[in-house]
Amino acid sequence: MRLHILPRLGRKTIGQITASDVKRLRSGLDGSSQLPNRFQRLGKITAGCGHRTNEAIAVSPVDMDRERQELIIQRQLKWVRGHGWCFALPKGRKIRRTPMSVENELDAQMREHPAVKVTLPYYDRRNKPAERFRPITVELLFSREAKGEIKFINPKRFNEWEWKRALVDAGVIPAPAREKRGEYQAARDDGPVALRHFFATAQIDAGESVVDVAEWMGHANPLVTFRRYVRGRVGAGDRGRAATDILLAGIVTAAKAVWNRKAV
C-alpha cells in the first residue's frame, strides 16, 4: 500500500478511480512481466527468495538444494575499484539459505537459457593481498547477450536500463526524452528492491517468524526486519481471539465440573 498503491491512487476517491487506473496499477505491480524474456525470472527469484539484485544475478544451479528445498545465497557480483566486477560473499560476508519457492521458474530458466560459465576474480579482503583476487569460474543461471556473446549481467546496467525500461513500459515512470544513461526518472521506491520488500512482507504476513525472515534476507539484526516490515494487518487478533475462547471455555468447563462435584 505505502510503496505502490497510495502514491498512485491515494489522492483519488473510490468514484474517481477508473478501470484504466486499475489496469495501470496492476501492470506496474507486475513489472517483471515487462522485462525482456531473458530477465523476467530474475525478478521472480528476487520476489520469491528475497535476494538482493547483485545476489540474484550471481545465482548458480549448484546453489539449489533440492533435498531441503532451499536456495543457498553464497555469492554476489561486487564492483571493486581498480579491479572491476568480482565475485564476493553476500553483503555482511555471510552465506545464508532461503526457502526455494520458485524451483519451477529456476528449472524453466535453465531449459530456455542454459547456465553460462563465467570466470571473474573472487574478492575476499580477509585474505593476504596476493590472494584477495583469485580467479574462479561459476556457472551463472542468468546472463545477457551482447554482440553475439553471452556474458554476465552488469547489475548497474540492469537497474538503469532493463529495469527502468520495464517501468516505462508498465506506465510507472515517464519515458525519457532520449534513451541515455541518467535520463530516466529516479524510481527508488519502484526499483528491484521492491521485490525483496514483497518477499519479506509476504513471509511475515503468512506467519513466518521475523527471526527466520531476517536470516533469509541477510539482515544483521531481526530488529531491522521488524521495524521495516511488521505492521498491523487485516484480521489481526483472529487467531488470538480463537485461542483465548478455547482456553476460557476449557477453564469454565473445568470449573463447572469442580463445582458439580462439590455440590454432590
Side-chain angles (χ1 to χ4, degrees), residues 205-242:
D205 191 56
E208 294 289 356
S209 163
V210 174
V211 175
D212 289 334
V213 175
E215 179 69 22
W216 299 335
M217 297 191 71
H219 287 162
N221 191 316
L223 284 176
V224 175
T225 314
F226 186 88
R227 289 168 182 162
R228 288 184 183 176
Y229 301 111
V230 177
R231 301 286 187 275
R233 61 179 179 81
V234 176
D238 290 346
R239 287 179 295 182
R241 181 166 49 251

Side-chain angles (χ1 to χ4, degrees), residues 189-206:
D189 289 341
D190 293 304
V193 72
L195 300 175
R196 183 168 149 86
H197 295 329
F198 168 83
F199 167 80
T201 304
Q203 295 295 325
I204 291 173
D205 191 56

Side-chain angles (χ1 to χ4, degrees), residues 38 113-118 138-141 143 150-152:
R38 197 174 196 91
H113 306 284
V116 177
K117 291 184 178 181
V118 173
V138 178
E139 275 194 324
L140 296 184
L141 196 59
S143 58
I150 304 299
K151 302 180 179 180
F152 68 90

Side-chain angles (χ1 to χ4, degrees), residues 22-33:
V22 176
K23 183 178 180 180
R24 178 173 175 270
L25 176 64
R26 181 180 178 184
S27 179
L29 292 175
D30 190 24
S32 62
S33 65

Side-chain angles (χ1 to χ4, degrees), residues 16 218 237 247:
Q16 292 174 324
L247 179 61

Side-chain angles (χ1 to χ4, degrees), residues 87-220:
F87 290 122
L89 286 171
K91 186 177 180 180
R93 301 194 300 277
K94 183 180 179 182
I95 295 174
R96 64 188 194 274
R97 288 172 173 263
T98 184
M100 189 166 59
S101 59
V102 289
E103 183 177 3
N104 292 338
E105 296 289 346
L106 295 172
D107 288 337
Q109 179 72 12
M110 286 188 285
R111 288 195 302 270
E112 296 175 18
H113 306 284
V116 177
K117 291 184 178 181
V118 173
T119 302
L120 290 173
Y122 189 92
Y123 172 64
D124 191 339
R125 69 182 187 186
R126 297 173 298 179
N127 292 341
K128 297 177 181 179
E131 300 176 357
R132 285 180 184 169
F133 294 95
R134 56 184 177 85
I136 66 168
T137 300
V138 178
E139 275 194 324
L140 296 184
L141 196 59
F142 299 99
S143 58
R144 66 185 179 91
E145 187 174 356
K147 298 180 180 179
E149 295 183 23
I150 304 299
K151 302 180 179 180
F152 68 90
I153 298 172
N154 181 320
K156 290 184 178 179
R157 179 180 173 83
F158 174 79
N159 290 337
E160 185 66 27
W161 291 100
E162 277 75 22
W163 186 262
K164 287 196 174 180
R165 282 174 180 164
L167 293 182
V168 170
D169 291 342
V172 177
I173 62 174
R178 53 181 179 172
E179 282 204 344
K180 186 178 179 182
R181 186 173 182 178
E183 292 290 324
Y184 285 92
Q185 177 179 299
R188 182 179 179 84
D189 289 341
D190 293 304
V193 72
L195 300 175
R196 183 168 149 86
H197 295 329
F198 168 83
F199 167 80
T201 304
Q203 295 295 325
I204 291 173
D205 191 56
E208 294 289 356
S209 163
V210 174
V211 175
D212 289 334
V213 175
E215 179 69 22
W216 299 335
M217 297 191 71
H219 287 162

